């Protein structure tokens, strides 16, 4: 081993001691100060931290701070982060996200990445574009997603049909506050999948056969086999505000026995109806599952913006700095729900996050384009 | 088309694949093995297409359906890698592993036809899952290579390192792409791109362990030693894919199916 790598070894051990010391300090802070409160890094603290980190680009790679950008440090930090995430992935209610050691390692990773970038930039080559896309993209993404999350505001808003609402419930604290956005709900609507027909074990409510439940779609004229029964749907009752019901004719394939009658899944004011086969088994209808639900709304902001549109799952509405998501509805009443629940999100760091994602995506393409070639 | 007919398609494909691999080793014909493998892929693929049509949505919703796609993509990736690098073993192994997944699907289908819930009705659904499955297939192939080198030693196998690295880089590229597509989709569906949901945590763990493999040689770990990361990383990958639902941390996750 020559002298340079020997001294490299020594600085790495120093760096490792620093990392371990920081983790231990994190645990101490955890005990002394309790879980990490993200609001302490909200604006302007996160922007100041960003400025400090960008200054690290100027640090000399061979100096004592610059050495923290070595590959050994990167690998150690990545390994520690992976271990923490293993804990997060196995233990329920683990609180890792809000723990000091996690936050500190996250910050060290950001510092390490910025130093690595600073080092590489000194011998800039266009052919390193894959490296830059991946590492700068990762830095932008990790910074904006991690430290930017402190500036994210999220509220639930429950709006009744024909009413206007401007109060939102903070998703974390549950506090009710007046928001700069108001929503008027013109209509909440829902499409359902047809309910299904099953044989149910009356003792425990489980579908039959237990291992591989056989469910049959129910619409007029549909037919199918459940166990030893061949079932045909003779007619369907499906009117607004009335629980769906089907008149079925079931024939036992073994002994020719025939059963017929109405079955219904019931709803919030009508009882369900089953068709008995024996003391144990009966034909029953499952609740229809939602296919699509959406809210026709008009949105107003304090600045006087007005926007109308339809909000549904996977299709939020953007107005000013806010994005409005379809979140929920009255699940007891389902299709007859008289209100709609929205989630309102304001994330000032969203654009940098998308820039980071875009760069990483391009970086991923270079990974499978170039393979392992250096 | 439904799952009851799967066994016929599976049997025909597997017979084509095995005779294909056999003729790669034994037959003097240059095109025989290739032709048999491709026919097997077409038969298997046609079942997936027909199933897709009869379901009315892509067969990516249930565990059984993702395994079905994996069986196809593993053989496809194995075949492409074989064409590129001329390693017959990778073709043989990918067919063998694919068969395991086919058998699991025949014995324990986990395919109760579920309706597609609103959150999954998105343009991101198909690319997100497909890209992941391709990545899993690549990384599975890399693991096979790593195990062979670790088991038989590195002599005369230096070329394997290049192959394994290529597979890992490509697989990790797809893995990261899948994760980012998931993030963009999650933002549209739930208002946040990353919430440390258990499946996300495990996806991160998987990606991080492959990143460790890539960076380890730069930190002075020998190539042979860093190979040990690959089987470990693949176990973590399998937990992400198949095991998360059984973990205590995952109760109440939006990703469990």
């Amino acid at each position: 081993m020559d002298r340079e790598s020997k001294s490299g070894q020594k600085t790495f051990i120093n760096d490792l001691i620093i990392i371990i010391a920081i983790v231990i300090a994190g645990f101490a802070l955890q005990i002394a100060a309790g879980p990490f409160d993200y609001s302490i890094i909200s604006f302007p603290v996160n922007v100041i931290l960003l400025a400090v980190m960008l200054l690290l680009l100027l640090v000399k790679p061979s100096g004592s701070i610059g050495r923290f950008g070595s590959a050994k440090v990167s690998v150690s930090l990545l390994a520690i982060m992976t271990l923490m995430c293993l804990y997060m992935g196995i233990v329920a209610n683990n609180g890792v996200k809000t723990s000091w050691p996690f936050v500190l390692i996250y910050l060290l990773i950001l510092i390490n990445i910025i130093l690595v970038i600073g080092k590489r930039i000194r011998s800039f080559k266009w052919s390193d574009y894959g490296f830059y896309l991946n590492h700068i993209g990762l830095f932008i993404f990790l910074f904006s997603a991690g430290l930017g999350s402190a500036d994210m505001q999220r509220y639930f808003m429950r709006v009744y049909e024909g009413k206007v609402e401007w109060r939102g419930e903070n998703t974390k604290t549950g506090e009710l506050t007046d928001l700069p956005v108001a929503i008027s709900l013109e209509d909440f609507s829902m499409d359902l999948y047809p309910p299904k027909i099953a044989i149910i074990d009356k003792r425990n409510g489980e579908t039959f056969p237990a291992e591989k439940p056989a469910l049959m779609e129910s619409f007029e004229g549909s037919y199918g086999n459940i166990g030893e029964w061949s079932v045909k749907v003779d007619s369907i009752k499906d009117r607004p505000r009335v629980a769906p019901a089907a008149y079925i004719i079931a024939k036992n394939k073994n002994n020719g026995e025939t059963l017929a009658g109405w079955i219904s899944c019931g709803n919030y004011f009508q009882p369900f109806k089953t068709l008995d086969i024996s003391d144990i088994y009966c034909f029953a209808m499952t609740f229809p599952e939602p296919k699509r639900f959406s809210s026709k709304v008009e949105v107003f902001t304090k600045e006087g913006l007005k926007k109308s549109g339809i909000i549904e799952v996977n299709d939020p509405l953007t107005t000013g700095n806010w994005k409005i998501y379809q979140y929920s509805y009255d699940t007891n009443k389902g299709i007859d729900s008289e209100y709609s629940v929205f989630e309102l999100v304001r994330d000032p760091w969203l654009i940098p996050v998308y820039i980071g994602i875009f760069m990483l995506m391009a970086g991923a393409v270079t990974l499978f384009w170039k393979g392992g070639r250096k | 088309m439904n799952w009851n007919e799967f066994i016929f398609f599976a049997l025909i494909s597997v017979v084509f694949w095995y005779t294909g691999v056999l003729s790669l080793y034994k037959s003097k014909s240059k095109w025989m093995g290739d032709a048999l493998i491709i026919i097997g892929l077409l038969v298997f693929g046609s079942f997936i297409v027909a199933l897709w049509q009869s379901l009315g949505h892509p067969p990516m919703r249930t565990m059984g359906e993702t395994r079905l796609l994996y069986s196809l993509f593993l053989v496809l990736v194995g075949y492409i890698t074989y064409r590129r690098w001329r390693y017959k073993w990778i073709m043989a192994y990918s067919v063998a592993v694919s068969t395991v997944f086919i058998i699991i699907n025949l014995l324990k289908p986990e395919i109760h036809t579920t309706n597609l819930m609103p959150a999954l009705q998105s343009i991101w659904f198909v690319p997100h899952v497909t890209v992941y499955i391709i990545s899993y297939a690549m990384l599975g192939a890399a693991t096979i290579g790593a195990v062979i080198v670790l088991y038989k030693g590195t002599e005369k196998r230096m070329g394997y390192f290049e192959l394994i690295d290529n597979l890992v880089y490509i697989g990790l590229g797809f893995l990261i792409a899948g994760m980012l597509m998931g993030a963009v989709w999650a933002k549209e569906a739930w208002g946040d791109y990353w919430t440390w949901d258990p499946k996300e945590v495990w996806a991160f763990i998987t990606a991080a362990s492959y990143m460790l493999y890539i960076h380890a040689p730069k930190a002075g770990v020998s190539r042979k030693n860093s190979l040990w990361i690959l089987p470990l990383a693949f176990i973590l990958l399998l937990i992400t894919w198949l095991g998360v639902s059984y973990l205590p941390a995952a109760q109440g996750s939006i990703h469990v199916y």
Side-chain angles (χ1 to χ4, degrees):
Chain A
M1 198 182 274
D2 58 60
R3 246 174 59 198
E4 197 168 327
S5 62
K6 226 176 212 168
S7 75
Q9 195 71 25
K10 218 166 138 194
T11 37
F12 169 64
I13 290 169
N14 287 342
D15 290 335
L16 201 59
I17 292 170
I18 294 172
I19 295 171
I20 292 166
I22 287 176
V23 172
I24 293 170
F27 280 111
L29 273 167
Q30 185 75 19
I31 294 162
F36 182 81
D37 176 9
Y38 275 83
S39 62
I40 65 172
I41 49 165
S42 59
F43 182 82
V45 177
N46 44 21
V47 175
I48 295 168
L49 274 170
L50 179 62
V52 173
M53 285 193 191
L54 290 179
L55 280 178
L56 291 175
L57 282 173
L58 307 171
V59 161
K60 221 167 79 188
S62 54
S64 53
I65 298 177
R67 292 256 176 121
F68 201 71
S70 78
K72 282 180 182 159
V73 173
S74 315
V75 168
S76 317
L77 289 171
L78 192 52
I80 296 175
M81 186 48 118
T82 310
L83 289 177
M84 286 183 174
C85 288
L86 274 172
Y87 184 82
M88 197 195 295
I90 293 168
V91 179
N93 308 319
N94 50 69
V96 172
K97 281 198 284 193
T98 54
S99 76
W100 284 88
F102 177 79
V103 173
L104 292 174
I105 289 294
Y106 197 103
L107 287 173
L108 289 183
I109 288 177
L110 284 170
I111 291 170
N112 176 259
I113 298 174
I114 204 86
L115 288 171
V116 168
I117 296 168
K119 190 159 71 179
R120 185 70 79 99
I121 266 177
R122 273 150 222 268
S123 48
F124 183 82
K125 282 199 304 273
W126 281 107
S127 56
D128 283 348
Y129 62 91
F131 168 88
Y132 289 113
L133 284 171
N134 280 316
H135 292 81
I136 298 178
L138 185 62
F139 179 83
I140 296 175
F141 177 75
L142 287 180
F143 193 95
S144 339
L147 285 89
S149 70
D151 293 332
M152 198 193 260
Q153 290 172 277
R154 306 180 69 135
Y155 296 93
F156 293 132
M157 190 184 270
R158 178 189 290 192
V159 192
Y160 282 85
E161 275 176 327
K163 299 267 165 60
V164 183
E165 184 61 81
W166 60 91
R167 287 162 304 171
E169 180 197 327
N170 189 312
T171 56
K172 275 193 199 124
T173 59
E175 239 175 291
L176 216 59
T177 26
D178 288 356
L179 296 180
V181 187
I183 302 176
S184 150
L185 177 62
E186 286 169 27
D187 185 38
F188 173 76
S189 64
M190 184 186 270
D191 295 340
L192 298 168
Y193 285 106
K196 288 179 174 161
I197 296 168
I199 292 180
I200 280 183
D201 187 330
K202 284 194 272 188
R203 293 166 300 185
N204 53 21
E206 266 172 35
T207 37
F208 169 88
E211 287 300 306
K212 237 168 120 179
L215 297 167
M216 191 190 113
E217 302 246 319
S218 61
F219 48 88
E220 209 140 292
S222 67
Y223 56 92
N225 295 313
I226 309 176
E228 57 195 14
W229 295 86
S230 80
V231 183
K232 185 171 180 296
V233 175
D234 184 68
S235 59
I236 283 276
K237 257 195 266 180
D238 190 13
R239 290 197 306 270
R241 300 198 180 271
V242 177
Y247 189 83
I248 59 164
I249 301 165
K251 197 168 178 194
N252 191 306
K253 283 184 275 186
N254 295 343
N255 57 20
E257 186 193 348
T258 308
L259 292 170
W262 284 98
I263 58 172
S264 166
C265 57
N267 64 10
Y268 58 101
F269 69 89
Q270 283 168 308
F272 64 87
K273 215 181 278 171
T274 58
L275 180 63
D276 279 352
I277 299 169
S278 66
D279 289 343
I280 301 166
Y281 294 111
C282 66
F283 284 106
M285 188 185 260
T286 63
F287 282 111
E289 291 172 47
K291 189 180 201 168
R292 177 171 175 262
F293 49 98
S294 61
S295 304
K296 193 164 182 291
V297 296
E298 207 165 0
V299 180
F300 314 89
T301 66
K302 255 192 177 155
E303 297 86 47
L305 280 172
K306 201 169 133 184
K307 198 169 180 181
S308 53
I310 291 169
I311 301 176
E312 62 179 298
V313 182
N314 274 315
D315 196 5
L317 185 100
T318 311
T319 165
N321 297 321
W322 291 85
K323 271 183 180 274
I324 304 169
Y325 297 87
Q326 176 71 58
Y327 182 73
S328 184
Y329 53 90
D330 184 346
T331 45
N332 280 327
K333 292 196 176 176
I335 195 167
D336 296 326
S337 173
E338 282 152 19
Y339 64 79
S340 180
V341 184
F342 301 100
E343 185 171 12
L344 287 84
V345 182
R346 181 170 181 269
D347 185 359
W349 293 80
L350 188 61
I351 289 169
V353 165
Y354 277 139
I355 292 173
I357 288 182
F358 181 77
M359 290 178 77
L360 281 169
M361 200 78 106
V365 174
T366 68
L367 281 184
F368 47 76
W369 189 252
K370 297 204 321 196
R373 262 176 288 147
K374 300 293 170 327
Chain B
M1 186 68 58
N2 63 43
W3 278 95
N4 295 333
E5 282 126 53
F6 175 56
I7 187 158
F8 306 114
F9 284 83
L11 269 176
I12 297 168
S13 311
V14 166
V15 168
F16 272 109
W17 287 338
Y18 278 88
T19 44
V21 170
L22 209 65
S23 47
L24 286 186
Y25 278 99
K26 302 280 176 207
S27 163
K28 288 195 179 73
S29 157
K30 276 209 172 95
W31 51 269
M32 180 75 136
D34 293 67
L36 288 167
I37 290 162
I38 291 172
I39 294 171
L41 281 166
L42 289 175
V43 172
F44 205 87
S46 62
F47 172 75
I48 296 178
V49 170
L51 185 69
W52 185 327
Q53 273 177 343
S54 78
L55 286 172
H57 62 77
M60 300 178 174
R61 170 79 185 88
T62 63
M63 203 46 104
E65 288 165 358
T66 65
R67 283 195 299 246
L68 178 72
L69 290 169
Y70 190 70
S71 307
L72 176 77
F73 280 110
L74 193 63
V75 177
L76 189 64
V77 165
Y79 180 65
I80 292 168
T81 324
Y82 158 71
R83 288 298 299 255
R84 171 75 180 77
W85 299 86
R86 292 286 151 195
Y87 289 125
K88 289 171 189 159
W89 60 266
I90 203 142
M91 194 64 246
Y93 274 101
S94 56
V95 165
V97 177
S98 171
T99 315
V100 172
F101 281 89
I102 289 172
I103 291 169
I104 297 175
N105 259 2
L106 287 170
L107 298 179
K108 192 169 178 288
E110 295 181 83
I111 40 143
H112 348 298
T113 41
T114 37
N115 293 324
L116 205 58
M117 58 203 248
L120 289 183
Q121 295 162 20
S122 159
I123 50 157
W124 292 107
F125 181 35
V126 176
H128 174 66
V129 181
T130 316
V131 159
Y132 260 113
I133 298 289
I134 295 173
S135 154
Y136 290 175
M138 292 277 179
L139 296 171
T143 312
I144 295 164
V147 170
I148 288 180
V149 174
L150 288 170
Y151 183 68
K152 293 192 169 164
T154 41
E155 308 86 45
K156 294 186 203 155
R157 288 194 173 75
M158 291 314 286
Y160 276 45
F161 283 112
E162 199 186 345
L163 165 71
I164 293 167
D165 279 5
N166 270 317
L167 286 169
V168 172
Y169 271 79
I170 299 169
L172 181 63
F174 276 104
L175 196 73
I176 291 173
M179 204 150 76
L180 295 170
M181 286 177 192
V184 174
W185 178 10
K187 179 70 193 172
E188 290 301 290
W190 294 298
D192 208 345
Y193 37 83
W194 192 268
T195 50
W196 292 105
D197 171 89
K199 194 93 170 182
E200 293 171 0
V201 172
W202 280 94
F204 173 78
I205 293 169
T206 311
S209 38
Y210 285 104
M211 284 197 263
L212 272 173
Y213 171 78
I214 284 183
H215 289 88
K218 296 183 174 72
V221 182
S222 76
R223 297 190 91 181
K224 172 102 196 275
N225 283 340
S226 57
L227 275 187
W228 285 101
I229 300 174
L230 290 180
L232 277 175
F234 197 69
I235 292 171
L236 297 171
L237 183 154
L238 288 176
I239 296 176
T240 309
W241 178 20
L242 307 165
V244 166
S245 350
Y246 304 104
L247 294 170
Q251 305 317 313
S253 159
I254 45 170
H255 264 107
V256 169
Y257 49 88

